[in-house]
Amino acid sequence: MTELSDLSSVPLPKAPRLSKSKFLSGLQCHKRLYLEVHHPSLATKPDAATQAMFDMGTEVGELARSRFPGGVLVTAGYRQTEAALAQTAALIQDLAVPAIFEAAFLHSGVLIRADVLERVLTVEGQPCGWRLIEVKSSTKVKDVHLEDLAVQSEVILGAGLTLISVGLMHINTGYLYREGVIDLTELFAIQDLSEAVAQRRVAVPERLATMNLMLLQMQAPDIEPDRHCHTPYDCPFWEHCTKDKPTRWIHYLPGSKQVVSQLAQQGVTTIDEIPDGTKLSPVQRHVKENLEWVSAKLGSVLKAVQYPVHHLDFETVMLAVPRFPETRPYQALPVQWSNHIEQDHG
């Protein structure tokens, strides 16, 4: 048995290293962060549509580097921390390098990789600091982007660099692609967010400390699934956290999630427990009553259908980077269609 006098020599558990993505997970939900760090295998793998969005984001990030001629990519992978830090340090010292892509920094147990770190020069051509630019495939600035840049700024400043400005580079949907080479100055818009990010950065150290303390616990925090599971992103642990919920769990009620959250806060756990008199939409009311509902108009509508019946189906894609002349980013483009004709004999 360990004597109390010996406890001072017992090493305390060390908090896992965080990243900017894990920091954002922690802001969304501490339980999500805990599971990502300690039980990542419980996450649901991204489906094809989600993976396509990830791939599109990667494509946009790589294309954005062309906006900074002469920029150099830190080639060390995300698991090659020491190599990435060493390459970044060497590129910072090389005054001939105007910009660094995927620069690595480690401070206070947080490792980040910056999309673009652009060297800022004085009028006389002398280096005076850096401009941090996060690249996103979105079309506008979102709250989560400010938090993303806040933790990056905290780490970079902590590592000893001077940040002159902080900005977000995103897709400009007003750009009309004509033909030939993409005009990157039109495709991308850069917004300076220095002031807004500085305000968010103040809270980063305390948030990190709280997350690190939580990660040292023996089990995940007890946090009930709710609307936060889908904001700002869908949590990959949703299926894990809801696997034991009843068939008519209150969060399965369709329609306004605000109504669902209000009911959950009142202690309502299933749809059947919704108090009489609760204001619900017609669809929610039908689900609560658990009765099959058929519109009175359905019969007359079906009788009005005449053969041959045409079942028209079509699919579209929305590309962040236009590929066809006279199209814009994220414009819905039909890519295939089919017409299934049903005759009266079936």
Side-chain angles (χ1 to χ4, degrees):
M1 181 180 295
T2 303
E3 298 292 338
L4 291 177
S5 58
D6 296 332
L7 290 179
S8 60
S9 62
V10 177
L12 294 174
K14 186 177 180 180
R17 179 181 291 169
L18 294 178
S19 63
K20 65 177 182 179
S21 61
K22 284 186 169 58
F23 174 77
L24 295 178
S25 293
L27 290 185
Q28 180 172 356
C29 174
H30 275 192
K31 186 175 183 180
R32 172 177 180 168
L33 173 59
Y34 189 96
L35 295 176
E36 280 187 5
V37 170
H38 296 294
H39 305 287
S41 62
L42 296 177
T44 301
K45 293 183 179 180
D47 57 19
T50 303
Q51 188 58 52
M53 291 179 60
F54 291 158
D55 294 341
M56 184 166 62
T58 300
E59 176 192 8
V60 168
E62 294 175 350
L63 183 62
R65 296 170 190 164
S66 300
R67 276 286 303 268
F68 306 90
V72 179
L73 173 68
V74 173
T75 56
Y78 273 73
R79 295 185 180 275
Q80 300 171 302
T81 302
E82 298 305 322
L85 292 170
Q87 287 182 24
T88 300
L91 292 172
I92 288 174
Q93 296 302 316
D94 187 349
L95 299 183
V97 176
I100 307 172
F101 310 129
E102 297 297 333
F105 297 94
L106 178 62
H107 176 69
S108 295
V110 183
L111 176 70
I112 65 105
R113 301 289 291 263
D115 287 343
V116 180
L117 198 61
E118 184 182 29
R119 197 185 301 271
V120 179
L121 304 177
T122 63
V123 177
E124 295 76 20
Q126 297 300 313
C128 62
W130 299 86
R131 178 165 71 145
L132 171 63
I133 301 174
E134 176 73 6
V135 180
K136 294 295 182 184
S137 58
S138 61
T139 60
K140 60 182 180 181
V141 177
K142 300 178 181 179
D143 191 72
V144 66
H145 300 154
L146 299 176
E147 303 292 2
D148 190 333
L149 285 164
V151 70
Q152 289 189 64
S153 301
E154 177 68 16
V155 173
I156 293 174
L157 290 169
L161 267 67
T162 299
L163 286 179
I164 303 299
S165 67
V166 178
L168 183 79
M169 189 174 182
H170 62 82
I171 297 294
N172 168 30
T173 55
Y175 168 54
L176 178 64
Y177 171 61
R178 301 293 184 179
E179 60 181 353
V181 179
I182 295 286
D183 186 344
L184 298 182
T185 60
E186 290 293 329
L187 175 65
F188 291 109
I190 301 179
Q191 286 187 247
D192 189 299
L193 303 173
S194 302
E195 184 175 344
V197 170
Q199 294 175 358
R200 301 295 180 101
R201 187 170 60 81
V202 175
V204 170
E206 183 177 350
R207 286 172 165 175
L208 287 172
T210 303
M211 292 178 194
N212 283 325
L213 187 61
M214 178 273 299
L215 289 171
L216 294 176
Q217 304 305 309
M218 297 302 295
Q219 59 185 16
D222 185 16
I223 300 175
E224 275 293 299
D226 206 331
R227 283 194 294 171
H228 68 267
C229 300
H230 308 288
T231 305
Y233 306 115
D234 287 330
C235 177
F237 297 99
W238 172 260
E239 290 186 13
H240 166 73
C241 292
T242 60
K243 66 181 185 299
D244 297 325
K245 297 300 180 183
T247 305
R248 285 172 63 78
W249 182 40
I250 188 63
H251 282 273
Y252 294 149
L253 185 71
S256 171
K257 297 307 175 186
Q258 184 176 359
V259 172
V260 173
S261 293
Q262 290 173 349
L263 290 169
Q265 290 171 7
Q266 296 170 16
V268 177
T269 57
T270 68
I271 295 173
D272 300 310
E273 296 172 356
I274 297 176
D276 294 335
T278 301
K279 187 176 181 179
L280 300 173
S281 69
V283 172
Q284 290 173 330
R285 179 65 58 188
H286 296 146
V287 173
K288 179 187 182 307
E289 295 171 352
N290 202 21
L291 297 174
E292 182 180 69
W293 178 82
V294 179
S295 171
K297 299 178 181 179
L298 180 61
S300 60
V301 170
L302 292 177
K303 289 178 181 178
V305 176
Q306 297 182 353
Y307 291 100
V309 178
H310 292 257
H311 302 271
L312 181 65
D313 180 40
F314 65 95
E315 306 296 336
T316 63
V317 295
M318 299 174 67
L319 305 173
V321 181
R323 298 181 184 176
F324 309 104
E326 304 303 317
T327 62
R328 301 181 187 277
Y330 292 118
Q331 179 178 337
L333 304 174
V335 291
Q336 66 178 27
W337 66 275
S338 60
N339 180 26
H340 302 265
I341 305 173
E342 180 183 0
Q343 304 292 347
D344 57 359
H345 54 69

